[in-house]
Amino acid sequence: MKITTARDALFAQLQTVTRAASTRSAVQALSGVQLLASKDGIELRATDMEIGLRVPLEGEVVREGSIVLPARLAVDVIRALPGKEVSLELRPVEQDVEILGGSASFYIRTLRLEDFPPFPEVEGDVVEVPGDAFVQTVNKVARSASRDETRPVLTGILVSATADELRMVATDSYRLSVKETKLSEPLAGAFEANVPARALQELTRIVQHESADILSVSVRANQVVFSAGGVVLSSRLIDGQFPNYRQLLPDTYEHELRLEGGEVTEVVRRISLLAQKNAPLRLAFTEGELTVSARTPDVGEARETIPVPFAGDPLEIGFNPEFLRDGLEAVDGDVIIKLISPLRPGLLEAGDGSGFQYLLMPIRLNV
Amino acid sequence: MRLIVARCSVAYTGRLTAHLPEALRLIMLKADGSVLVHADAGGYKPLNWMTPPTAVIEEGETITVRKVKGEDQLEITLHEVLSDVTHTMDFDAARLSKDGVEADLQVALADAPHWCGEGFRLVRREWPTDIGPVDLMCRDEADGWIAVEIKRIGTIEAVEQLSRYLERIRLDPAKADCRGVLAATIVKPQARVLAESRGLTWVEVDLAVLRGEREPALTLFG
């Protein structure tokens, strides 16, 4: 195998693909990047067996073949190379790759090609989804996905695409995000899959980086393959029953307030500075006012009052400050806050009818 | 216990030599043969000490403490004694009760194994293996076996220990698919990474919640 390419292009694509390389696998080849040179072109591949990335590379194929290079080292070497052009050539006898750039030459031992797994192709029923709608929807809900591996089903985002709607749901059991995005044109197909949040967050970077208008999605029994602007991301799907989120959303609420989202978000951000060490953020609603306060023993306390259209009996409710902030930050413009009681979940809803809902469980307030 | 407050100098000989110049210090001679020389600073550790078994010889102004086995020797020269008192202590070595230790966690988790994983039910505490007992052996809803190792702090060593137990347990064909869970009040980040890389699960538990002393955090669903 021998290729020549632009150093900057190789560096950029290596940086992208390396994000999927494993950092802690017992299989050494998974910490590498596969470089595949064929008559169809050059492709870089990496996988940690949960997600896989395939990235095209512009360049000239002098001799076809395939190698696996240690990913981190390859990035460092290509970044440091002088000159604009770089050539990579496999030396089978030495079991290394000669990398030439400017006046520098490197010889890097290759990893076992046989240990590198095959990659799935985009095939079968492919649904094309607008890239920007997909990215925006992921970004609204991703923070609610759990990072607790003991409940793997919650580490995913439930993605459903039907007709003219793209819906994503994520929950870590303390909060639930739902985003229903109306599409300008109906989709040619439909799918539903619980995709690891990490894979979708990686996908949003790729779609934005590639400025991809269209995202192709192919869902199989236990795997999903996305294709955006020449980059292919594959991911395993998460097994298990995703919670029935519709049942979790209360039918009625005692209070409903429309607030200017930016203002209340800023107040929550400020007062949260004094909600440390698991201290709750307190929201005290009284006639026409909301007082946000926090107190951390041995550190201090803070409070701020803003006018709000609240009426009825006073209500004080506590929330995890980070979770509340996440919900508020996901809302553009006005936010509608719906509450029932101090121990029942509260709902944040986008006031612009954009289909975003954020259900948040409160924290018990001792006093 | 004999407590001497004295202006003293101390010479240690043995694996190395050390000398404490004359100063006012507290010398503790315990009934079990321990001898400790304390200053009023430097934390809880003595400046010099000798662990039992020792031989204590008092000649005039000199107290010589020798290790029964070995060459270690502490020679304390008393220049001025301000106080020299002896008290009989109660024997209470077994009375120190610590809460929140592994045994407490094991008892609590044995009563509520579902905190280690959904649908877990206890089969046995201290499940024997030929390299030692694993804390809990459970089965899940699908009747799969799960070995649970319980620690106050979940470290890399705890993951290693659980891995060793699983290696032995899985030798039994009926338990070849036995899973492993590390349960601890805190699981260190390195231990999480190692556990996950080995296909083990980790879970953080709160003893106060387990005992019902504190309400668990409110959740949208179970």
Side-chain angles (χ1 to χ4, degrees), chain B residues 76-87:
Chain B
I76 305 167
T77 305
L78 306 172
H79 302 283
E80 183 189 0
V81 176
L82 304 184
S83 167
D84 185 348
V85 292
T86 301
H87 299 282

Side-chain angles (χ1 to χ4, degrees), chain B residues 32-93:
Chain B
D32 67 355
S34 310
V35 177
L36 306 99
V37 181
H38 276 282
D40 209 8
Y44 65 92
K45 283 189 175 177
L47 299 169
N48 273 122
W49 70 93
M50 193 75 83
T51 53
T54 56
V56 181
I57 302 153
E58 207 169 338
E59 286 180 333
E61 294 173 346
T62 305
I63 301 171
T64 306
V65 186
R66 280 204 196 96
K67 258 303 209 204
V68 171
K69 291 178 184 172
E71 301 298 315
D72 293 351
Q73 179 174 298
L74 209 57
E75 192 172 284
I76 305 167
T77 305
L78 306 172
H79 302 283
E80 183 189 0
V81 176
L82 304 184
S83 167
D84 185 348
V85 292
T86 301
H87 299 282
T88 303
M89 301 279 144
D90 291 333
F91 182 75
D92 63 353

Side-chain angles (χ1 to χ4, degrees), chain A residues 221-244:
Chain A
N222 55 8
Q223 204 166 40
V224 60
V225 185
F226 299 97
S227 173
V231 178
V232 178
L233 183 145
S234 52
S235 168
R236 69 172 177 86
L237 295 179
I238 298 174
D239 281 338
Q241 186 66 43
F242 196 86
N244 184 344

Side-chain angles (χ1 to χ4, degrees), chain A residues 126-144:
Chain A
V126 176
V127 180
E128 292 192 335
V129 181
D132 58 347
F134 196 93
V135 167
Q136 284 170 20
T137 312
V138 171
N139 287 340
K140 291 285 182 194
V141 304
R143 280 195 267 190
S144 288

